[in-house]
Amino acid sequence: MKSRRPSCTDSGSESSEADSKSPEKYEPVTRRRSAANARERKRMQGLNTAFDSLRKVVPQWGQDKQLSKYETLQMALSYIVALNRILTEARRHSAPHRQWLDLQLDCLPPEACGTDYGSPTDQDYLQSSFSYQFDGHQVHA
DNA sequence: TAGGCCATCTGGTCCT
DNA sequence: AGGACCAGATGGCCTA
């Protein structure tokens, strides 16, 4: 994530005013607003942490730059649909194949599911199952 | 320079 | 009453 400096409208961010005034000298309304701003900032940071976690498990084929939040959500949706499709296809196969698949899924740590796409063949198959297009921002489930 | 993306502030609403 | 959540507004940064 790019590091961004606070915007100039960052009035509640304990900066210039906080230097000249201790918090207890704030007007109650100002103090409450400032606290609410801090909570909102923390909440959004939590949300961004969640987005970062999601980016780590979502494929980023051909994308050298970080997915935007919108793209991350769209990709996650498409990824889930693709994996679901693969599982559905796998269930149609014979027992030995199903056992193999079950074994693979059991052995996979959750974090590895998104970053290790297996052999090039597996990767191609998974990618071909994807419907999310970066340019068009479209998802066809 | 325009457009995309983002962080932050803010006021409103809902919930505990 | 206070906190969580949300959406709109605003302004900064980056890239084509």
Side-chain angles (χ1 to χ4, degrees):
Chain A
M1 176 62 79
K2 293 174 279 189
S3 63
R4 293 168 181 276
R5 64 173 186 75
S7 93
C8 63
T9 59
D10 191 11
S11 59
S13 56
E14 304 89 33
S15 54
S16 59
E17 218 177 349
D19 294 341
S20 58
K21 267 187 177 179
S22 60
E24 56 271 20
K25 286 180 183 170
Y26 284 146
E27 293 295 319
V29 172
T30 307
R31 201 166 55 230
R32 253 182 287 133
R33 231 313 121 196
S34 184
N37 290 344
R39 284 194 304 273
E40 177 66 7
R41 246 178 283 136
K42 192 175 177 184
R43 192 183 72 84
M44 293 307 295
Q45 281 162 9
L47 191 62
N48 288 332
T49 300
F51 266 106
D52 287 340
S53 300
L54 189 57
R55 283 188 187 102
K56 283 179 188 160
V57 297
V58 147
Q60 240 182 303
W61 293 305
Q63 289 288 302
D64 48 349
K65 76 179 178 67
Q66 179 182 268
L67 264 54
S68 72
K69 292 177 179 177
Y70 178 81
E71 287 169 339
T72 302
L73 288 179
Q74 295 294 318
M75 180 60 84
L77 175 60
S78 189
Y79 188 40
I80 290 168
V81 169
L83 290 176
N84 198 31
R85 189 175 302 149
I86 289 169
L87 283 177
T88 304
E89 290 295 319
R91 286 195 192 98
R92 292 207 197 108
H93 292 174
S94 61
H97 285 94
R98 195 188 314 180
Q99 284 170 2
W100 175 85
L101 180 68
D102 289 344
L103 191 62
Q104 298 303 308
L105 291 174
D106 287 345
C107 293
L108 275 180
E111 313 87 75
C113 292
T115 50
D116 181 2
Y117 308 111
S119 68
T121 306
D122 295 339
Q123 182 172 330
D124 288 345
Y125 178 57
L126 183 56
Q127 191 163 5
S128 71
S129 300
F130 252 63
S131 55
Y132 178 67
Q133 304 296 319
F134 279 102
D135 291 335
H137 287 184
Q138 298 281 335
V139 167
H140 311 288

